Amino acid sequence: MIFAKEIITSSGTAEYFLKYPKFKALNDAIDEYYSNAFAPEIITALQLVENSTSAVEVFAKYSQFGATFKDGDGKEVRSETRKFQTNLLYIQGKLQDALSSIKLSKSVSLFIDGIDIRPASIPFNEYLDCVKGLANAAWSLNNDFFPRIRDSKGRMKCVLLLRPDIFNSLGLQNRNTKLKDNSIVLSWITDYGKYRSSELFLMADRMFNVQQDKIEPPGDAWDHYFPFEATNLTEEHSRPTSFVIFLRYSYHRPRDILTMLDILNDHYKSPTDKDRVFLYSDLFTKRFKEDYGQYLLGEIKDSLSFYYDESEFELFLKFFEYLNGKSRFDYEYYEAAFSEFYKYILAEVHNAPGFMRSAEEFLQFLYDQNILSFIEEAEDEKFIRWCFRERTPSNISPKVKTGMEYEIHYGLANTLNTGKAISKPKKKSNPKQEVEGFLGVVNMIDKGKKFGFIRQEGMPIDIHFKFSDCLDPSSLGKGALVRYYLKKNEKGGLSASKVVISR
């Protein structure tokens, strides 16, 4: 339906296509059914599906379609008595006949966007089934129907615009083959050393260049408005490296760069100061960080809305309070923060969402959403691993490594309240920062090295203890029920103290 109407409305040669009898009949039938008000939207086209009997009756009015048709046994049956699915097959067949009858001089591609926005009223599993059906329908059109159209110079193609993570969750057959041979993964990623020749930089430079009285050489317009250097660069550059700061703040997406430019324009636009250029400090003001951080957080919220509801998003934000202001931390510190966060979930929410069932799963979730990166060190060189940079067509969902050092994205650190440490009042009666006692079972014990681990139901990690913290270590053994207290160790993690046998 949408293909048929788009061919007429966007080609500029409607008269030419209406010379084909079958196609003209189809167009007339659609116009009558929708009272000449058909909109090229899927929701509009689905009205015909919902009222298929009425649609068949309208189509049957036109001689090219025929007023009657035969069922599988050859029995003639009037269209209004056919069942729902037979009506759909009849309409589909006539649509295909009409599209097959025309000859295109140019190819036509239909792009379907907005798939990654799930209506709040539709549960995730039901909506995912809808997306799977749409993906299979597009695959069927592109591989089973359109290639069979003969003697047409132009070809038709249906293109779904999907995020890689959503494509990964569809569970399509031969997924890797479909991704490799029938998909294009859009990527604007560039390296700091090569950024001036990247499409991302040239796009941003052109934004300024086209507004000048004369076209400047590539890069000159950008250098005029941002004539400063980025810090901590190992390579020397002959031109200002200010764009590197934009790369660090972004996920190497055009809309990230454009949003930063819009924010700067809003903050510093002045009719009396037309010659002002931007300063290094403009990108580090509190106001800029807050506005851009809110944009990035909104992007994450939109991304998560496909899978999770509002309450789960709010719970996700709650986690960052337990980082105590750190935007860079090691795995032990992360585990301790998640342990505290998980106790809050058990007490207040009772059931953890699927992506929060363990410290490892939640870490992978944060990595998938590009909220944090992990840092590897090899031969005195650091490698900062971001999911969006590691993702390839053959590796849609790169895995995060445990036991590494991690860092929150620059643009999100302040918005997620990790920019400065959160001070907590000290309790005079609790100088070791001990909290209430817990019951657990000794899961592992090494009497030679004099340490062990306690497992507690509902706790995602085992709690480490030393014999020096046990009142009677000689009576401890694997499987023993113990009562223990928690304290923060030197690295900020949690360990057990005052471990006693529970009678």
Side-chain angles (χ1 to χ4, degrees):
M1 287 271 298
I2 297 175
F3 260 108
K5 295 301 291 185
E6 281 295 297
I7 287 172
I8 289 182
T9 56
S10 63
S11 65
T13 55
E15 296 80 5
Y16 169 77
F17 289 111
L18 293 179
K19 292 178 180 179
Y20 294 92
K22 290 184 177 180
F23 194 78
K24 182 180 185 303
L26 169 65
N27 183 66
D28 292 342
I30 295 173
D31 284 346
E32 178 172 331
Y33 183 83
Y34 288 99
S35 302
N36 294 304
F38 177 80
E41 301 288 342
I42 290 178
I43 190 67
T44 306
L46 286 177
Q47 294 175 12
L48 182 138
V49 175
E50 295 170 349
N51 302 286
S52 59
T53 300
S54 300
V56 169
E57 292 174 353
V58 173
F59 281 13
K61 287 178 56 178
Y62 296 86
S63 59
Q64 286 80 5
F65 284 105
T68 60
F69 53 93
K70 298 178 181 296
D71 64 11
D73 298 326
K75 181 180 177 182
E76 189 177 89
V77 184
R78 294 189 180 278
S79 60
E80 62 268 22
T81 64
R82 296 298 292 183
K83 295 181 180 179
F84 176 70
Q85 184 144 356
T86 306
N87 286 341
L88 296 185
L89 289 173
Y90 173 71
I91 296 171
Q92 177 183 327
K94 298 310 174 183
L95 287 166
Q96 290 180 342
D97 286 345
L99 288 172
S100 299
S101 69
I102 61 176
K103 311 304 178 190
L104 296 172
S105 59
K106 296 182 179 179
S107 295
V108 177
S109 295
L110 177 68
F111 293 87
I112 302 179
D113 198 5
I115 300 170
D116 53 355
I117 302 175
R118 175 175 64 90
S121 59
I122 302 178
F124 167 71
N125 290 333
E126 293 182 16
Y127 188 71
L128 187 62
D129 286 340
C130 294
V131 178
K132 288 179 180 178
L134 181 62
N136 283 316
W139 178 260
S140 177
L141 280 177
N142 290 332
N143 290 272
D144 301 334
F145 171 54
F146 292 150
R148 291 192 285 107
I149 299 177
R150 304 296 181 188
D151 303 323
S152 179
K153 181 180 178 181
R155 293 294 176 183
M156 287 176 272
K157 180 169 59 180
C158 181
V159 182
L160 305 186
L161 303 179
L162 286 168
R163 296 203 314 260
D165 58 296
I166 295 177
F167 177 87
N168 202 40
S169 65
L170 294 181
L172 299 174
Q173 293 182 345
N174 300 319
R175 183 178 59 192
N176 289 336
T177 301
K178 286 182 171 67
L179 190 65
K180 181 180 179 182
D181 299 335
N182 300 89
S183 303
I184 296 175
V185 180
L186 299 180
S187 175
W188 295 71
I189 294 173
T190 183
D191 296 323
Y192 293 168
K194 304 175 182 177
Y195 79 88
R196 292 194 75 89
S197 60
S198 70
E199 296 291 338
L200 197 59
F201 174 75
L202 295 176
M203 178 275 301
D205 174 65
R206 191 173 187 275
M207 285 281 296
F208 295 100
N209 207 339
V210 296
Q211 301 177 57
Q212 309 308 312
D213 295 332
K214 64 176 183 178
I215 300 300
E216 302 290 341
D220 282 8
W222 179 272
D223 293 341
H224 171 77
Y225 287 102
F226 298 94
F228 52 82
E229 304 291 337
T231 57
N232 300 326
L233 287 179
T234 57
E235 299 181 20
E236 293 186 2
H237 297 263
S238 58
R239 306 285 290 270
T241 56
S242 52
F243 191 73
V244 172
I245 301 177
F246 286 77
L247 291 178
R248 289 171 177 168
Y249 267 127
S250 76
Y251 293 121
H252 293 208
R253 301 178 303 195
R255 65 176 179 269
D256 297 342
I257 305 297
L258 296 179
T259 298
M260 282 185 268
L261 294 177
D262 284 342
I263 293 173
L264 288 171
N265 184 57
D266 291 341
H267 290 182
Y268 299 104
K269 186 176 182 180
S270 173
T272 60
D273 191 9
K274 296 182 180 180
D275 296 328
R276 185 190 190 280
V277 297
F278 294 100
L279 308 176
Y280 178 86
S281 58
D282 293 340
L283 290 167
F284 296 93
T285 64
K286 181 179 179 181
R287 186 183 174 194
F288 175 83
K289 289 181 178 180
E290 287 178 349
D291 288 353
Y292 184 65
Q294 287 300 323
Y295 155 75
L296 288 183
L297 194 60
E299 291 283 296
I300 294 172
K301 185 175 183 179
D302 290 343
S303 175
L304 296 184
S305 66
F306 183 85
Y307 302 97
Y308 309 109
D309 57 29
E310 183 73 21
S311 62
E312 291 172 318
F313 177 74
E314 295 298 329
L315 185 61
F316 147 76
L317 292 180
K318 183 73 176 176
F319 164 76
F320 297 96
E321 296 179 14
Y322 294 87
L323 290 176
N324 290 340
K326 282 187 175 291
S327 59
R328 189 165 181 167
F329 44 86
D330 59 20
Y331 187 71
E332 186 176 1
Y333 189 91
Y334 162 76
E335 275 195 314
F338 183 81
S339 177
E340 289 291 297
F341 174 56
Y342 202 84
K343 286 192 291 183
Y344 166 81
I345 294 176
L346 295 178
E348 302 294 333
V349 185
H350 304 301
N351 292 319
F355 62 95
M356 295 181 182
R357 287 177 297 193
S358 68
E360 290 78 9
E361 283 185 271
F362 190 56
L363 185 66
Q364 181 65 45
F365 170 81
L366 296 176
Y367 185 66
D368 287 339
Q369 299 303 320
N370 293 300
I371 294 166
L372 56 73
S373 63
F374 68 90
I375 303 169
E376 287 186 304
E377 295 190 18
E379 298 180 356
D380 298 328
E381 188 174 1
K382 287 186 178 181
F383 297 92
I384 302 176
R385 308 292 188 186
W386 285 101
C387 183
F388 74 92
R389 292 189 64 91
E390 301 296 317
R391 182 182 288 129
T392 64
S394 59
N395 185 18
I396 289 295
S397 182
K399 301 304 178 186
V400 67
K401 286 187 177 181
T402 58
M404 298 283 114
E405 191 173 13
Y406 308 92
E407 186 169 13
I408 302 291
H409 190 272
Y410 297 133
L412 287 167
N414 289 76
T415 305
L416 295 173
N417 295 322
T418 59
K420 62 179 182 179
I422 302 173
S423 59
K424 294 184 178 181
K426 296 182 179 180
K427 298 180 181 179
K428 295 181 179 180
S429 60
N430 191 11
K432 292 184 178 181
Q433 293 180 294
E434 295 175 352
V435 296
E436 60 180 334
F438 295 93
L439 283 176
V441 176
V442 176
N443 184 47
M444 177 270 183
I445 190 167
D446 189 327
K447 293 188 176 182
K449 296 182 179 179
K450 297 183 179 181
F451 76 93
F453 287 92
I454 300 170
R455 174 164 296 177
Q456 179 192 338
E457 184 178 356
M459 187 72 73
I461 58 174
D462 293 342
I463 304 298
H464 176 269
F465 70 90
K466 299 178 180 178
F467 277 21
S468 57
D469 293 318
C470 302
L471 296 184
D472 186 11
S474 61
S475 61
L476 287 178
K478 185 175 180 180
L481 182 65
V482 295
R483 180 172 294 278
Y484 67 96
Y485 296 81
L486 289 175
K487 68 175 181 180
K488 288 187 177 180
N489 56 33
E490 296 176 353
K491 294 185 177 181
L494 294 178
S495 60
S497 68
K498 289 189 178 179
V499 180
V500 297
I501 296 289
S502 180
R503 303 298 182 184

